[in-house]
Structure formats: structure tokens, C-alpha cells
């Protein structure tokens, strides 16, 4: 179609991120998007919907700052952590000049966001045990402004060693920002790098309410960084990025009652993850990798065949870029039991 020629060449050539929703599927068990199985109730006020929202609602910023253990000046809220990725690239990378660096297998939106803004990408694959290859990163830092590291990493589920993150921060000091994506950190808060913000001015942390807080549909994320970085991001963010109902619900989720409910649900999901891991580990030819988020990466003898069979029977999981692996989100106990039983049955037939 001739109209597509009006689009930028880069956009015409791009392959969009294949999110769980784009991929579709039809079934009763959805364990493909690392969503929470809990649907919590909230109250929404409707007396301010005729007015624009505040760019950075003070009540929301303070609530998350208190939860994260930082000052309000170190917090920016956005439409999910995905928008935080875009804001960082827009604020720090010159198109066709600067680069980002990321370490696959990992979250695909780092690369797609960079491509969208004509920013080059460099990849340094994780090591065999899915840790940072620091020497290779050091050799590839020319023109790099942002280094993205996901911990717990999606899709592998493992944590990146803290000493390696500190070494990376030292290595990039004065040259680039290290962006630690902590979308799943609420399942292992002791592994957060938030305490390093005071020591490393080049550290940025991405957070979200989508996972542990069971608010994937809310699209509410946060960027934690030193005040100078937050001020720069505020220059490029949209005027009204946080809808009024989003603020209302997020503040309730971050209240003492909301935090208590989230803590209980995280414990429940962690127990289900352990159940799923133990059950799958008992199956012949199956390898379950340690996971610290609300999902597990599992290696099967014939992952593609099993994935398709599960899909056809209404159990929707997620293909993985890791060979012969499937990523399984942790659902409620009933979903985990049915998924485990179906997989066991299929493998026994073979």
C-alpha cells in the first residue's frame, strides 16, 4: 500500500514485539504473560474525570517512594515500566549516533524501543549460567549510553549477581547509565539494588505494579534514579501520563491494607511456584531452572510439540528464545495442578 511508504524506513522494517496478547490463543488456563491470577477490587472516584491529571501525582509518588525506600525526588511514574524504557532512550541517546546494550536472552522491548527511535543496539549474550559477561561488555561500550540488565531476568528467571552489577556500575561510571529492570523484584525484595542508588549516580531502576501487585491492566510503572536523572526524564514525558483512575487505584494498592494483601498473594504465588517446580522436576527428561519471579523456565525434550499440544487444549503458555524451553507463569493452585497433570500425561504418552 502506497501510504506505508510515508512511514519511516526503520518502522516499515521493524517486527513488533510479540506480546502475549498479540499472539492470542483460546483457552481456560492463561499462564503466558506473567500476570497475577488475583483480581482485587478497588474504588474509583469519578468527580475529577473532567480535569486533566497531574503529570506526577504527589500522593502516588510519595506512596511508591515510601514503599521503595527512596525519596520522592527519586521517583517518576509512567505508563508501565515500558514507558520508562522509552523515556530513558529519548532523554539520553542521540538517534543514529548512540547505542544501548542489552544481554539476551532477556526482555525484548529494550531493543524494539531503541529501534523505534533510530538508536543502535549492541548485544552481549549472557554467559552459559545466565550471568553478565563483563569482559565482553567492557569491550563493547563505545557509543553506549544505556546498559539494560533485567534481574530477575525474563525469561530465564535467575538473579544477576550483585557483585557483577556493582562491577558494571563502576565500569560505566561517567560513560553510561545502568538500567536495572526490577519488574519482578517484589517476589525477592532482598535482591533489589535500590540501596545502591546513593552510591552510584549512574544507576536507574525500573519497577512496575503489573506483577506482584496484580495490576497488569493498570499500566503503572516507576523509574527510580537520582534527582538529576528524574528531572531530565520529566522534560520528555507526556504532559498527562498518569490517568486519574490509575492514581486512585495505585494509591490504594500501595496503602497499608493494599501492601498487606500483596504480601499475602506473593507468598501464595511463591508456594505455587515451588509446587510447580517440584512437580515438573520429577518428570523424566525435564529440567526446571531456578526462578525468582512469578514464572519458571522449563526445558522439555520436545518443547515445541508440547507447547502446541497445550495450546490446542486451552493451556496457553509462552514460547522461549532459549532452545527447547517454555516459560510458564505461576497461576493459582488449580491452574498449576491442571497444567502439571496435563504435561505429565503428555510426557508419559511419549
Amino acid at each position: 500500500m502506497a501510504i506505508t511508504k510515508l512511514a519511516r524506513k526503520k518502522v516499515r522494517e521493524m517486527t513488533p514485539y510479540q506480546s502475549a496478547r498479540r499472539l492470542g490463543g483460546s483457552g481456560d488456563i492463561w499462564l503466558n504473560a506473567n500476570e497475577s491470577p488475583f483480581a482485587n477490587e478497588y474504588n474509583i472516584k469519578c468527580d475529577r474525570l473532567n480535569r486533566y491529571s497531574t503529570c506526577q501525582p504527589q500522593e502516588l509518588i510519595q506512596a511508591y517512594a515510601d514503599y521503595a525506600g527512596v525519596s520522592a525526588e527519586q521517583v517518576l511514574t509512567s505508563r508501565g515500566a515500558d514507558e520508562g524504557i522509552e523515556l530513558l532512550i529519548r532523554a539520553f541517546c542521540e538517534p543514529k549516533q548512540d547505542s544501548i546494550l542489552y544481554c539476551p536472552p532477556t526482555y525484548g522491548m529494550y531493543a524494539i524501543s531503541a529501534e523505534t527511535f533510530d538508536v543502535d543496539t549492541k548485544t552481549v549474550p549472557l554467559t552459559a549460567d545466565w550471568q553478565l559477561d563483563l569482559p565482553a561488555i567492557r569491550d563493547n561500550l563505545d557509543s553506549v549510553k544505556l546498559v539494560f540488565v533485567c534481574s530477575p531476568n525474563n525469561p530465564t528467571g535467575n538473579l544477576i549477581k550483585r557483585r557483577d552489577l556493582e562491577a558494571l556500575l563502576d565500569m560505566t561510571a561517567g560513560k553510561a547509565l545502568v538500567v536495572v529492570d526490577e519488574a519482578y523484584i517484589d517476589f525477592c525484595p532482598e535482591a533489589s539494588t535500590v540501596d545502591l542508588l546513593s552510591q552510584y549516580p549512574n544507576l536507574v531502576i525500573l519497577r512496575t505494579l503489573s506483577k506482584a501487585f496484580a495490576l497488569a491492566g493498570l499500566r503503572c510503572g516507576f523509574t527510580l534514579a537520582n534527582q538529576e536523572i528524574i528531572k531530565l526524564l520529566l522534560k520528555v514525558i507526556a504532559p498527562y501520563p498518569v490517568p486519574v483512575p490509575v492514581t486512585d487505584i495505585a494509591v490504594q494498592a500501595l496503602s497499608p491494607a493494599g501492601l498487606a494483601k500483596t504480601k499475602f498473594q506473593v507468598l501464595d504465588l511463591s508456594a505455587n511456584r515451588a509446587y510447580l517446580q517440584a512437580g515438573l522436576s520429577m518428570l523424566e527428561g525435564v529440567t526446571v531452572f531456578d526462578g525468582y519471579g512469578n514464572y519458571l523456565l522449563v526445558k522439555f525434550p520436545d518443547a515445541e510439540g508440547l507447547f502446541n499440544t497445550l495450546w490446542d487444549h486451552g493451556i496457553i503458555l509462552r514460547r522461549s528464545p532459549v532452545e527447547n524451553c517454555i516459560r510458564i507463569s505461576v497461576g493459582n493452585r488449580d491452574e498449576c495442578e491442571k497444567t502439571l497433570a496435563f504435561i505429565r500425561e503428555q510426557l508419559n504418552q511419549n
Side-chain angles (χ1 to χ4, degrees):
M1 188 176 179
I3 198 72
T4 60
K5 294 181 179 179
L6 297 175
R8 288 167 47 216
K9 183 175 183 291
K10 176 70 75 173
V11 174
R12 293 199 307 268
E13 295 172 349
M14 279 179 60
T15 300
Y17 178 69
Q18 298 301 300
S19 68
R21 288 296 170 267
R22 274 184 187 260
L23 292 170
S26 177
D28 301 317
I29 298 178
W30 293 81
L31 301 180
N32 65 333
N34 294 349
E35 300 156 326
S36 172
F38 301 104
N40 301 315
E41 293 186 3
Y42 297 93
N43 297 315
I44 300 176
K45 303 172 186 176
C46 297
D47 59 343
R48 293 177 291 127
L49 297 182
N50 58 315
R51 304 295 182 188
Y52 286 117
S53 61
T54 306
C55 177
Q56 295 291 291
Q58 184 176 357
E59 188 179 11
L60 175 57
I61 294 295
Q62 190 61 59
Y64 199 82
D66 292 342
Y67 170 70
V70 298
S71 69
E73 292 74 26
Q74 292 176 295
V75 180
L76 178 137
T77 186
S78 60
R79 291 168 288 198
D82 288 329
E83 187 181 21
I85 295 169
E86 290 195 356
L87 293 173
L88 287 162
I89 293 172
R90 287 166 56 195
F92 287 92
C93 297
E94 291 285 355
K96 299 181 179 180
Q97 181 176 321
D98 293 328
S99 307
I100 71 161
L101 186 150
Y102 65 100
C103 304
T106 193
Y107 185 42
M109 279 305 297
Y110 310 137
I112 289 178
S113 294
E115 290 174 16
T116 301
F117 296 113
D118 260 340
V119 171
D120 290 336
T121 61
K122 293 186 177 185
T123 60
V124 176
L126 295 174
T127 61
D129 57 348
W130 292 330
Q131 293 297 324
L132 298 178
D133 187 342
L134 291 173
I137 291 175
R138 181 182 290 108
D139 292 342
N140 283 275
L141 285 177
D142 288 346
S143 80
V144 169
K145 286 290 190 67
L146 301 170
V147 180
F148 287 94
V149 179
C150 190
S151 183
N153 186 42
N154 176 18
T156 58
N158 66 292
L159 292 168
I160 302 300
K161 294 175 182 176
R162 182 183 176 92
R163 66 174 180 270
D164 288 353
L165 289 171
E166 293 184 42
L168 179 61
L169 285 160
D170 287 328
M171 183 191 305
T172 55
K175 303 173 185 176
L177 302 184
V178 174
V179 184
V180 181
D181 188 341
E182 293 189 346
Y184 302 95
I185 204 67
D186 308 281
F187 295 94
C188 50
E190 68 283 354
S192 176
T193 56
V194 72
D195 61 301
L196 296 178
L197 283 171
S198 59
Q199 185 179 345
Y200 293 100
N202 60 325
L203 172 62
V204 180
I205 299 170
L206 298 174
R207 295 281 191 87
T208 182
L209 298 185
S210 294
K211 313 300 181 184
F213 284 84
L215 288 171
L218 196 66
R219 307 308 302 129
C220 184
F222 300 89
T223 302
L224 311 179
N226 69 63
Q227 190 173 0
E228 289 73 17
I229 291 174
I230 298 298
K231 285 180 178 179
L232 289 167
L233 298 182
L234 285 170
K235 291 185 176 184
V236 297
I237 198 169
Y240 314 110
V242 188
V244 171
V246 170
T247 298
D248 288 343
I249 292 172
V251 168
Q252 291 173 61
L254 291 163
S255 69
L259 291 174
K261 181 178 292 185
T262 294
K263 185 175 182 178
F264 172 80
Q265 292 174 352
V266 164
L267 289 172
D268 190 285
L269 289 173
S270 296
N272 290 346
R273 183 185 66 205
Y275 164 82
L276 199 57
Q277 181 168 4
L280 289 168
S281 297
M282 295 172 66
L283 302 178
E284 187 176 353
V286 174
T287 301
V288 186
F289 298 98
D290 288 338
Y292 292 84
N294 63 334
Y295 56 96
L296 288 169
L297 187 69
V298 188
K299 187 172 185 178
F300 295 97
D302 177 17
E304 183 63 17
L306 178 61
F307 176 90
N308 290 329
T309 302
L310 286 157
W311 180 284
D312 292 340
H313 286 79
I315 301 176
I316 311 302
L317 306 183
R318 184 76 148 134
R319 286 187 178 91
S320 167
V322 182
E323 187 177 6
N324 271 325
C325 287
I326 297 174
R327 193 191 71 187
I328 306 176
S329 302
V330 178
N332 59 39
R333 182 54 65 97
D334 182 62
E335 291 170 327
C336 291
E337 288 177 351
K338 288 179 178 177
T339 300
L340 177 58
F342 189 89
I343 291 174
R344 183 186 293 121
E345 179 185 347
Q346 292 303 307
L347 294 182
N348 286 339
Q349 289 178 7
N350 299 328

